[in-house]
Amino acid sequence: MDIQVDEAEHSMEMHLPYLAKVFEGHPVKIVPILVGAVSAESEAMYGETLSQFVDDPTNFFSISSDFCHWGSRFNYMYHDKKHGPIYKSIEALDKMGMDIIETGDPDSFKKYLSEYDNTICGRHPISVFLHMLKNSSTKIKIKFLRYEQSSQCHNTRDSSVSYASAAAKVDDSNSS
């Protein structure tokens, strides 16, 4: 990547302080993987290649993404009026995507993105992770824990970025 792309990329800077705190006192090795705007075929291929690491319980994955970037400055202003105010429409749109991610189905997530064009900046790493889970022999359950918006949009002059956090862990519900 060129220097401008590298300097603009900030996901590691966002994650490292949290990871340092969570793993404080424990020796860890971090292997950063930057996923750019790759094709659906590449997402599937990388997911399949990396799936073997899901089966190792000593591995931990941290995937970074904001959710909807709404407003004219983001060139995205989807508003389904049946949900009421703009911010409620944004929340419904994001929750639809979150519900699909929780299913672990990369194809459904791709269809959602294609249909709604939600401006989820980490769509590609999320898709790679979903393909990793699909190809792993360890069954993992994803659960969203929190959702926030930077501001509540009431009119077309407003803008907002959504944030969601999720955890993925081994699904023990199928064990006997």
Side-chain angles (χ1 to χ4, degrees), residues 8-74:
E9 174 51 45
H10 59 277
S11 58
M12 283 301 295
E13 288 86 348
M14 299 297 290
H15 279 248
L16 287 175
Y18 295 106
L19 295 175
K21 181 66 177 167
V22 168
F23 292 109
E24 192 171 25
H26 301 282
V28 296
K29 294 179 186 173
I30 296 177
V31 180
I33 300 172
L34 182 66
V35 179
V38 297
S39 68
E41 294 77 20
S42 292
E43 291 170 355
M45 184 268 301
Y46 290 128
E48 185 175 348
T49 301
L50 294 168
S51 66
Q52 63 184 309
F53 299 106
V54 174
D55 294 326
D56 181 344
T58 65
N59 288 330
F60 174 87
F61 299 91
S62 180
I63 291 84
S64 176
S65 179
D66 301 332
F67 268 67
C68 186
H69 293 63
W70 194 95
S72 60
R73 71 186 182 122
F74 300 116

Side-chain angles (χ1 to χ4, degrees), residues 107-172:
D107 298 323
S108 294
F109 184 57
K110 187 62 65 187
K111 182 179 177 197
Y112 160 80
L113 292 171
S114 176
E115 185 173 341
Y116 294 97
D117 205 27
N118 194 351
T119 52
I120 299 172
C121 58
R123 65 184 52 200
H124 299 290
I126 292 169
S127 292
V128 169
F129 186 64
L130 294 176
H131 281 286
M132 288 168 64
L133 300 184
K134 178 181 176 181
N135 289 287
S136 168
S137 61
T138 304
K139 294 302 152 212
I140 303 292
K141 179 77 177 145
I142 301 170
K143 173 100 174 102
F144 276 86
L145 307 172
R146 187 157 177 179
Y147 174 82
E148 298 290 339
Q149 294 176 6
S150 62
S151 64
Q152 292 185 346
C153 295
H154 294 277
N155 62 62
T156 56
R157 292 182 310 278
D158 294 337
S159 64
S160 176
V161 177
S162 304
Y163 305 95
S165 60
K169 64 179 194 169
V170 175
D171 185 359
D172 293 325

